[in-house]
Amino acid sequence: MLKAIAAGLKVILCAGETKEERNTRQAHHVVEEQLRESLKGFPQDKLDRLILAYEPVWAINTGINATPEQAQDMHAFVRQKVADVIGAAKAQELSILYGGSVIPDNAAQLMAPLDVDGVLVGGASLKPELFLPIFRAALPV
């Protein structure tokens, strides 16, 4: 991440749990550990170059996505864990995206929760007929 930022790029740090980890109620612990390890030593003056994404492994390319409630729960958790390190005001400035089987039929619902700042679109971004409705769902009403 640091080399990408040094090269002038923004980076997206993805964190997420497997289905087994979610089913055994380890999701928060797993994501917290991923964030802790990934952000260790990250320079606070470069936070404007960082985007976080909650990307549950069990949702990637499966056609199954988190519910808006699950997304809000994890995004609020991520924001709080980041706030514990950098402060609440800075944590509110960070974008936290949801990624994992985002399609036109679920994009608006997944972006509706308070702590979900947008979506990280995978395969649907390669098909204009799928991506355009997702893009439109992100526009202000």
Side-chain angles (χ1 to χ4, degrees):
M1 288 191 309
L2 296 177
K3 286 185 179 191
I5 288 171
L9 300 173
K10 280 194 170 193
V11 297
I12 301 174
L13 170 60
C14 299
E17 78 283 2
T18 65
K19 189 65 168 173
E20 180 181 338
E21 291 163 339
R22 174 159 282 279
N23 288 343
T24 57
R25 301 182 188 268
Q26 297 177 52
H28 285 149
H29 172 74
V30 168
V31 170
E32 181 178 7
E33 186 64 25
Q34 290 171 353
L35 290 171
R36 182 179 19 257
E37 288 299 313
S38 298
L39 294 174
K40 193 182 299 181
F42 192 90
Q44 296 223 359
D45 65 331
K46 302 293 185 194
L47 288 171
D48 62 330
R49 318 271 321 142
L50 176 67
I51 298 169
L52 300 178
Y54 168 56
E55 190 155 8
V57 177
W58 52 268
I60 299 170
N61 293 323
T62 64
I64 301 168
N65 59 282
T67 65
E69 295 78 17
Q70 289 170 322
Q72 169 58 30
D73 172 67
M74 188 59 81
H75 282 236
F77 176 79
V78 166
R79 197 172 304 280
Q80 182 57 56
K81 291 302 167 187
V82 172
D84 291 346
V85 175
I86 66 170
K90 285 278 191 195
Q92 285 300 324
E93 293 174 14
L94 277 177
S95 291
I96 305 175
L97 309 178
Y98 172 81
S101 295
V102 177
I103 58 173
D105 292 344
N106 64 25
Q109 296 89 346
L110 287 168
M111 286 187 276
L114 176 66
D115 286 296
V116 178
D117 298 317
V119 290
L120 182 61
V121 183
S125 68
L126 301 175
K127 300 176 183 174
E129 68 277 10
L130 296 177
F131 186 69
L132 188 56
I134 295 170
F135 175 79
R136 286 188 180 127
L139 295 175
V141 181

